[in-house]
């Protein structure tokens, strides 16, 4: 299409995409292989000789893939019979046709977004083809560890939330707005904690998530939180007059501390009456190392309930009852673990698109969601967010993202140049963030 810039790709030597495919992805794969190997005895205890065979074969498949990646071989079709295999293979065929040869769909020459997603799908395939261990989540250990290492910060944020909730009826609109802003920013910075960017090293939060907000403020490059707030307020007014409810959707990113910050924000939204319903969207297979699956979601709430800390466990029970009462609900859809840009959602996953249209506000957490929102393309930094969304807009939406990939739109003229002159890697160092809003209604 005229005017749409090319996809980011590892074919640009030295780019962040290139360094990711060359260094970060093989490191992640090696960790996956090590984890499976380390759990050999566990597989033996559970499944006997069959477990050992499965461990060996899975590792064989993964080593083969690592070799394909490192020698820049063409991306090959999936061989499992899972429901979404067809869609992946069609995508591949389409690209082969478009570029006329097989070589063009190699690991380094394909769009970065596609190959990076593909790697996680192939990890899933390798396990799936070995039935006794097909449901094994190779990233579970890291996610669990990240949660426990953030315990102090989790307690702090739960205590903070409990403080707000205990007095919530007496708060003025301005006070509510202040709290909303803080918790939105806590959820934003929670996105610093992901295991994919550090290739599985660390995703814990060790400092107080509340105290650090003021010093982090200048690092928010685009801050549309006022518009997010007014969207919620007008949804509330509308709901009152129409006798309907306000629904906020959160498209989740990482498990661990980030998920806790999302749950805290969601709790505040319903406790304050700003929203009546929150729909969470997670991943149906282990994804980008630390992304939330249904199991992580349930587990996190269980752990919060079971904590040896009064506020934390009280809040955990509250979350459980939000789920039981249907005030909160968890959803997953195969589209979230496909390589598509979100502008394809209406055509490729019309049911999901229609579902999101029922929300008054959709919050997209994290870097990968941002890349998918803007198509992971080499946009000029001053291009409007609405333009980069290329027609995607099921409902008013807001991205809460710390920058970890070299794409960023919607900046002021000169803003990017200024950042580059001080800090050439501002888009990938994970230090900066955006709260970026878009609604087609505003146009
Ligand atoms: O390569 C680093 C990376 O994997 C990016 O590709 C990806 O966008 C990001 O880390 C994951 O971040 P997040 O968890 O915020 O989506
Ligand atoms: Mg993630």
């Amino acid at each position: 299409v005229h005017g749409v810039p090319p996809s980011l790709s590892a074919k640009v030597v030295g780019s962040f995409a290139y360094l990711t495919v060359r260094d970060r992805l093989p490191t992640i794969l090696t960790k996956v292989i090590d984890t499976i190997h380390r759990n050999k005895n566990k597989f033996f205890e559970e499944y006997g000789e069959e477990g050992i065979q499965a461990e060996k074969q899975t590792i064989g498949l993964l080593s083969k893939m690592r070799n394909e990646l490192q020698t820049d071989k063409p991306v090959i079709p999936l061989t499992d019979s899972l429901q979404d295999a067809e869609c992946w293979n069609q995508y591949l065929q389409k690209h082969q046709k478009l570029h006329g040869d097989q070589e063009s769909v190699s690991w380094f020459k394909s769009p970065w977004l596609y190959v990076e997603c593909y790697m996680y799908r192939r990890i899933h395939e390798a396990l799936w083809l070995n039935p006794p261990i097909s449901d094994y989540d190779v990233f579970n250990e890291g996610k669990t560890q990240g949660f426990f290492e953030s315990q102090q910060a989790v307690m702090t944020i739960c205590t903070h939330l409990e403080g707000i909730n205990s007095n919530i009826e007496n708060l003025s609109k301005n006070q509510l707005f202040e709290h909303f802003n803080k918790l939105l920013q806590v959820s934003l910075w929670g996105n610093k904690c992901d295991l994919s960017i550090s290739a599985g090293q660390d995703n814990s939060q060790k400092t107080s998530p509340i105290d650090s907000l003021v010093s982090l403020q200048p690092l928010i490059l685009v801050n549309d939180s006022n518009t997010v707030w007014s969207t919620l307020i007008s949804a509330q007014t509308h709901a009152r007059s129409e006798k309907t409810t306000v629904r906020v959707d959160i498209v989740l990113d990482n498990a661990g501390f980030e998920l806790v910050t999302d749950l805290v924000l969601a709790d505040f939204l319903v406790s304050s009456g700003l929203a009546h319903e929150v729909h969470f969207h997670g991943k149906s297979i282990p994804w980008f190392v630390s992304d939330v699956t249904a199991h992580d979601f349930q587990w996190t709430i269980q752990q919060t309930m079971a904590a040896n800390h009064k506020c934390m466990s009280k809040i955990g029970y509250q979350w459980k009852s939000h789920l039981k009462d249907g005030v909160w609900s968890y959803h997953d859809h195969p589209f979230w673990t496909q390589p598509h840009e979100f502008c394809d959602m209406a055509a490729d996953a019309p049911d999901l698109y229609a579902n999101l249209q029922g929300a008054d506000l959709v919050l997209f957490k994290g870097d990968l969601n941002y890349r998918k929102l803007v198509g992971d393309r080499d946009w000029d930094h001053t291009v409007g967010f609405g333009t980069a969304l290329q027609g995607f807009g099921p409902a008013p939406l807001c991205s809460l993202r710390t920058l970890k990939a070299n794409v960023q739109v919607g900046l002021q003229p000169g803003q990017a140049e200024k950042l580059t002159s001080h800090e050439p890697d501002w888009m990938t160092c994970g230090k900066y963030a955006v709260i970026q809003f878009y609604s087609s209604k505003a146009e």
Side-chain angles (χ1 to χ4, degrees):
V1 188
H2 178 73
V4 177
S7 303
L8 299 177
S9 166
K11 69 183 163 209
V12 181
V13 177
S15 67
F16 189 69
Y18 172 81
L19 295 173
T20 298
V21 177
R22 193 192 67 181
D23 305 328
R24 200 171 293 116
L25 299 190
T27 306
I28 290 172
L29 270 178
T30 301
K31 285 224 166 94
V32 166
I33 292 171
D34 287 350
T35 304
I36 296 175
H37 191 61
R38 222 176 344 94
N39 281 282
K40 193 173 168 175
N41 289 340
K42 184 181 109 124
F43 298 142
F44 181 71
E45 279 158 27
E46 279 178 46
Y47 313 107
E49 213 29 62
E50 232 191 304
I52 298 284
Q53 278 307 317
E55 178 254 358
K56 253 197 218 135
Q57 279 173 35
T58 308
I59 289 181
L61 291 173
L62 293 171
S63 310
K64 181 173 161 286
M65 165 163 63
R66 185 176 52 190
N67 186 264
E68 288 163 14
L69 185 166
Q70 288 178 319
T71 54
D72 195 21
K73 292 285 181 311
V75 167
I76 56 174
L78 295 170
T79 60
D80 59 41
S81 51
L82 288 166
Q83 222 183 5
D84 66 336
E86 188 63 25
C87 133
W88 282 89
N89 295 344
Q90 272 169 6
Y91 184 103
L92 196 60
Q93 268 174 5
K94 204 175 86 189
H95 275 253
Q96 266 166 358
K97 263 209 200 108
L98 204 68
H99 299 283
D101 70 307
Q102 250 216 329
E103 291 301 301
S104 67
V105 293
S106 74
W107 284 81
F108 281 76
K109 291 185 202 87
S110 299
W112 172 30
L113 180 62
Y114 176 76
V115 284
E116 197 170 20
C117 293
Y118 173 81
M119 181 186 85
Y120 291 96
R121 182 58 179 78
R122 281 276 301 270
I123 295 174
H124 186 62
E125 178 191 49
L127 286 154
W128 188 260
L129 292 173
N130 291 288
I133 63 168
S134 27
D135 288 326
Y136 180 67
D137 180 352
V138 282
F139 302 122
N140 186 58
E141 291 175 5
K143 288 186 275 194
T144 309
Q145 195 185 343
F147 177 82
F148 287 125
E149 284 175 358
S150 314
Q151 280 309 285
Q152 200 55 48
V154 171
M155 289 174 196
T156 307
I157 189 71
C158 285
T159 309
H160 179 83
L161 176 67
E162 185 52 24
I164 301 173
N165 282 352
S166 62
N167 186 34
I168 205 144
E169 264 109 58
N170 304 318
L171 297 177
S172 69
K173 211 169 193 179
N174 272 343
Q175 286 170 318
L176 272 185
F177 177 57
E178 295 262 306
H179 287 308
F180 168 76
N181 249 334
K182 271 194 192 162
L183 295 180
L184 194 69
Q185 285 176 34
V186 168
S187 166
L188 168 70
W189 293 114
N191 181 245
K192 265 195 175 180
C193 306
D194 100 79
L195 279 167
S196 168
I197 188 88
S198 65
Q201 295 286 320
D202 185 25
N203 84 329
S204 62
Q205 167 85 24
K206 304 224 170 55
T207 53
S208 163
I210 302 289
D211 297 346
S212 49
L213 289 182
V214 174
S215 59
L216 289 169
Q217 190 104 28
L219 304 174
I220 305 177
L221 303 177
V222 175
N223 191 343
D224 294 333
S225 45
N226 288 347
T227 331
V228 180
W229 172 258
S230 57
T231 301
L232 282 172
I233 295 298
S234 59
Q236 204 183 34
T237 314
H238 182 257
R240 272 203 195 117
S241 67
E242 302 287 312
K243 301 216 175 349
T244 56
T245 54
V246 177
R247 176 181 136 193
V248 174
D249 283 32
I250 305 182
V251 182
L252 297 168
D253 186 3
N254 304 302
F257 183 69
E258 180 173 1
L259 175 58
V260 174
T261 65
D262 300 335
L263 296 169
V264 165
L265 175 64
D267 183 302
F268 172 76
L269 289 175
V270 298
S271 305
S272 62
L274 284 164
H276 307 97
E277 246 183 280
V278 178
H279 289 199
F280 297 95
H281 299 269
K283 307 295 194 294
S284 49
I285 62 173
W287 196 247
F288 279 69
V289 190
S290 41
D291 285 16
V292 178
T293 62
H295 174 269
D296 301 329
F297 187 82
Q298 298 298 345
W299 182 87
T300 303
I301 293 178
Q302 296 285 332
Q303 290 301 316
T304 310
M305 286 162 69
N308 192 9
H309 180 272
K310 225 170 116 205
C311 280
M312 198 173 151
S313 98
K314 181 173 174 201
I315 280 166
Y317 276 96
Q318 193 162 302
W319 293 350
K320 183 90 190 164
S321 67
H322 285 333
L323 282 174
K324 206 173 121 254
D325 302 341
V327 173
W328 284 5
S329 52
Y330 178 89
H331 307 256
D332 51 28
H333 190 288
F335 182 82
W336 302 121
T337 47
Q338 283 165 11
H340 305 99
E341 309 167 18
F342 289 161
C343 64
D344 295 335
M345 188 192 286
D348 293 340
D351 55 330
L352 179 61
Y353 195 84
N355 181 311
L356 294 181
Q357 283 178 314
D360 295 285
L361 173 69
V362 186
L363 299 174
F364 285 91
K365 293 295 319 275
D367 193 68
L368 179 63
N369 277 326
Y370 191 81
R371 290 171 59 193
K372 289 185 162 192
L373 282 166
V374 300
D376 210 34
R377 289 170 186 280
D378 195 11
W379 295 103
D380 196 284
H381 299 302
T382 54
V383 159
F385 188 35
T387 307
L389 286 167
Q390 298 174 78
F392 179 72
L397 62 88
C398 179
S399 159
L400 300 175
R401 171 224 187 188
T402 61
L403 280 63
K404 302 170 206 160
N406 38 2
V407 54
Q408 182 59 54
V409 299
L411 298 185
Q412 298 301 318
Q415 198 178 358
E417 289 74 7
K418 203 168 151 201
L419 284 160
T420 307
S421 70
H422 295 299
E423 225 167 335
D425 65 345
W426 60 278
M427 275 185 285
T428 51
C429 62
K431 175 174 150 189
Y432 293 94
V434 294
I435 300 178
Q436 200 161 26
F437 176 86
Y438 172 77
S439 169
S440 60
K441 288 178 199 157
E443 284 179 334

